[in-house]
Amino acid sequence: MALRFYNTLTLRVEEFQPARDLTVRMYTCGPTVYDYAHIGNFRTFTFFDILRRVLRDRGFRLDHVMNITDVDDKIIRNATAQGKSLEEYTRVYTEAFLEDCKALRLERPEHLVRATEHIPEMVAAIRALSGKQYTYESEGSTYYRIASFPEYGKLSHNDFTGIKAGARVEVDTYDKNDARDFALWKAPKEGEPFWETEIGKGRPGWHIECSVMAMKYLGETLDIHGGGVDLIFPHHENEIAQSEALTGRPFARFWLHSEFLLVEGQRMGKSLGNYYTLRDLLSRGYQPETIRYLLASVPYRKALNFTFDGLKSAATAIERLRNFRLRLQTDAYPEGMNEKLRERTRSAERDFVASLEDDLNTAEALAAVFEYVRDMNTAMDSGEFRAGNAGPALDLLAHFDSIFEVLEPSAAAAGLSDEEVEKLIAERNRARRERNFARSDEIRQELLNQGIILEDTREGARWKRKLS
RNA sequence: GGCGCGGUAGCCAAGUUGGUAAGGCAGAGGUCUGCAAAACCUCCAUCACCGGUUCGAAUCCGGUCCGCGCCUCCA
């Protein structure tokens, strides 16, 4: 089977192929760095990450651009209030964002680009649009005239032909001819930072940066453009209007959007007290891979209900996989190869891949892995498992982890060192040989208090660190 | 109101070209173990509701109810 994605443009699942060669040209909307990113943001960024990994797993090369919006009204407001320059203000959150991504094991796109580093390109694009009569000026700002782009609404599937100029209450403080028109270039208000350019003093509107940076690095037509569902309108609709007006060509072939994240069944909001940044969760002791697992386990097109129960459940699920891997690595099996089990490994791998190819059905992909794990554990218990089956099984786990990446523990928090653990285990082994079970259990409990779990097996005691 | 997405076991959630419901977590009972842990086994849903099509529907059609998102900044 081939890769298929649900395309917002057509509202259908379609087979995916890059337009040219095997390189996927992809643009995804990144963060606006005015604050720490929250888990809702990371739901979307985790989706991008899974998308990247699956594309590569299916043999494609990636040319992926993600923007960092480091100039917008909120940033200006906050920076001004703190008496900082834009650069000074956004640097903190940009770095925090990159750290968070790293913690969540999100791959870095080939191009991570900042809006403020592309002002000249944006100005050139706006001038080109003006040359084609798509714009008008008002009080020093430049607007895009939507009436001149008949296809407006094709992504959000809205029909705007009935909307009349002035029909809506003016909510923006800028003067526009039509409520749907949007700013390409905003004139500075008193005291606001600005760029001095050929189209006047000011700063870029939000939408133009994505059009410009996407096309600069990837060409006129992208294979994939991604973002959260809330960006479909107006952001992505406006990107299409700008880009296609400029080039006369389709801006993106596939539009992929991730659904919202809810917290305990409710929309996350600061006023509701259920607003969490990644940092909030980490400081509560949850491991990054636990969060990553939870975010990745629900297919991206379904709203994800983020709960603390869910985190606990995710941690336990990961432990099940880690236990299996530990067992593969530490238990001894009879020599040889069980061909039936070998074939079972192949079928699990096929199911795993087929699920991901089906519009990134991560839930089904996980099911394929867990079913496989159960079958292999059963085979181990019954003695059918052979030493030769361990390699393929570990390979399958590695394949799984090349997409989900949750098997390796994050840097251990402070606690006992490996050596200290081994020392205590040796002492416990002596106690057990002497059948001093009281002392033996005492040591086990002591270790457990330190987050170390002991398991006695035929090959002796093995241990692991508990995951939260 | 328009556009879009949903309503499957206690929780999360897969399955919609129709054929008698994946998986994870939690729970109950077993096996194994010095005791545990891990692992395995067994048990735990008729798919929001109503009607229709069909030999047969969670899956198709019609209707109803409910939830969420976008329609103004927002992943």
Side-chain angles (χ1 to χ4, degrees):
Chain A
M1 280 301 261
L3 248 186
R4 281 149 288 148
F5 296 132
Y6 179 86
N7 190 348
T8 306
L9 202 53
T10 58
L11 303 181
R12 305 167 68 128
V13 175
E14 300 176 338
E15 187 170 319
F16 175 80
Q17 273 301 319
R20 290 178 283 155
D21 56 66
L22 289 178
T23 300
V24 178
R25 292 163 182 84
M26 167 162 99
Y27 185 92
T28 57
C29 288
T32 299
V33 285
Y34 71 96
D35 198 353
Y36 296 113
H38 60 247
I39 50 172
N41 295 315
F42 284 114
R43 195 276 164 101
T44 296
F45 299 138
T46 302
F47 150 57
F48 297 155
D49 183 66
I50 298 292
L51 173 62
R52 281 181 58 90
R53 292 168 186 253
V54 170
L55 284 167
R56 214 176 32 237
D57 189 71
R58 296 338 293 146
F60 297 115
R61 265 195 278 279
L62 292 170
D63 197 1
H64 175 193
V65 177
M66 184 161 83
N67 66 304
I68 288 181
T69 301
D70 56 354
V71 53
D72 89 321
D73 291 358
K74 261 182 261 183
I75 290 172
I76 289 172
R77 187 193 63 204
N78 293 1
T80 305
Q82 296 179 16
K84 292 180 178 169
S85 69
L86 291 186
E87 200 282 328
E88 218 177 347
Y89 178 80
T90 57
R91 191 195 309 140
V92 177
Y93 298 109
T94 302
E95 282 171 12
F97 173 70
L98 296 177
E99 282 170 17
D100 289 351
C101 286
K102 202 170 171 187
L104 277 181
R105 307 172 183 189
L106 303 178
E107 291 185 347
R108 190 161 169 146
E110 282 65 31
H111 306 274
L112 202 58
V113 296
R114 290 172 176 74
T116 55
E117 291 173 357
H118 297 78
I119 301 292
E121 291 93 328
M122 290 189 239
V123 169
I126 293 167
R127 294 183 77 191
L129 283 170
S130 296
K132 295 184 173 209
Q133 312 301 317
Y134 279 99
T135 70
Y136 61 89
E137 280 182 48
S138 174
E139 300 186 1
S141 294
T142 306
Y143 296 94
Y144 186 99
R145 190 193 315 280
I146 280 171
S148 56
F149 188 71
E151 291 183 89
Y152 195 75
K154 68 180 176 182
L155 181 68
S156 56
H157 304 282
N158 276 313
D159 181 4
F160 294 112
T161 53
I163 304 283
K164 286 184 182 163
R168 291 172 54 90
V169 178
E170 200 65 52
V171 290
D172 206 315
T173 48
Y174 300 87
D175 285 327
K176 298 188 284 191
N177 289 356
D178 184 310
R180 301 286 165 171
D181 290 347
F182 59 90
L184 292 163
W185 189 256
K186 294 182 172 186
K189 282 180 266 190
E190 187 60 36
E192 287 183 343
F194 59 84
W195 280 263
E196 182 79 70
T197 73
E198 299 98 311
I199 54 175
K201 293 176 182 176
R203 63 177 184 272
W206 174 33
H207 315 294
I208 192 67
E209 67 174 87
C210 289
S211 290
V212 164
M213 296 192 290
M215 292 195 287
K216 170 175 177 176
Y217 295 99
L218 301 173
E220 294 182 342
T221 298
L222 316 174
D223 290 308
I224 295 175
H225 191 126
V229 281
D230 51 327
L231 296 185
I232 295 171
F233 187 88
H235 184 51
H236 290 164
E237 200 73 77
N238 291 352
E239 283 186 46
I240 289 175
Q242 296 164 341
S243 307
E244 300 192 358
L246 226 34
T247 68
R249 308 180 69 87
F251 180 44
R253 299 168 54 241
F254 281 77
W255 288 87
L256 274 49
H257 293 98
S258 60
E259 258 298 340
F260 242 74
L261 173 143
L262 304 172
V263 173
E264 306 286 353
Q266 287 190 300
R267 171 152 190 179
M268 180 168 63
K270 285 183 177 168
S271 58
L272 287 171
N274 64 354
Y275 179 96
Y276 300 108
T277 64
L278 181 67
R279 281 144 196 262
D280 292 334
L281 298 174
L282 296 180
S283 70
R284 288 183 179 216
Y286 293 102
Q287 295 299 308
E289 63 267 37
T290 302
I291 299 164
R292 177 179 168 86
Y293 182 97
L294 180 55
L295 296 180
S297 63
V298 178
Y300 76 98
R301 282 209 296 128
K302 171 146 182 165
L304 189 162
N305 188 12
F306 185 95
T307 65
F308 287 95
D309 269 1
L311 276 178
K312 208 169 136 194
S313 165
T316 311
I318 292 173
E319 288 200 311
R320 181 167 166 77
L321 298 171
R322 288 183 182 172
N323 285 336
F324 175 60
R325 189 171 68 160
L326 189 62
R327 193 175 185 188
L328 282 170
Q329 291 166 333
T330 58
D331 281 8
Y333 307 99
E335 285 308 306
M337 168 77 83
N338 181 324
E339 282 304 328
K340 265 178 74 178
L341 297 182
R342 177 82 180 92
E343 179 48 37
R344 178 68 187 89
T345 305
R346 291 194 190 96
S347 75
E349 190 141 16
R350 280 196 297 273
D351 290 346
F352 178 70
V353 169
S355 297
L356 293 172
E357 285 186 324
D358 182 14
D359 199 26
L360 307 180
N361 191 338
T362 49
E364 200 171 74
L366 285 170
V369 172
F370 280 108
E371 280 181 87
Y372 172 76
V373 169
R374 181 185 6 86
D375 288 350
M376 291 307 112
N377 273 322
T378 301
M380 290 171 176
D381 285 355
S382 70
E384 291 170 60
F385 198 89
R386 294 286 174 274
N389 293 115
L394 285 166
D395 288 346
L396 174 59
L397 279 184
H399 189 176
F400 154 78
D401 213 39
S402 73
I403 306 293
F404 284 87
E405 201 176 345
V406 293
L407 293 183
E408 291 304 325
S410 294
L416 295 177
S417 68
D418 290 9
E419 292 70 30
E420 290 169 316
V421 173
E422 299 289 358
K423 209 175 137 195
L424 282 166
I425 289 178
E427 186 188 337
R428 176 170 176 271
N429 286 340
R430 278 195 301 277
R432 290 188 79 215
R433 271 197 301 275
E434 294 158 9
R435 304 196 66 79
N436 181 356
F437 294 121
R439 176 58 187 151
S440 162
D441 291 349
E442 189 180 290
I443 292 172
R444 188 169 62 197
Q445 184 58 44
E446 211 174 300
L447 285 165
L448 186 59
N449 294 343
Q450 299 283 337
I452 306 295
I453 296 171
L454 271 195
E455 295 174 4
D456 293 320
T457 74
R458 250 182 304 230
E459 285 77 34
R462 69 182 177 207
W463 65 278
K464 64 194 180 190
R465 293 181 191 277
K466 187 158 173 51
L467 176 69
S468 56

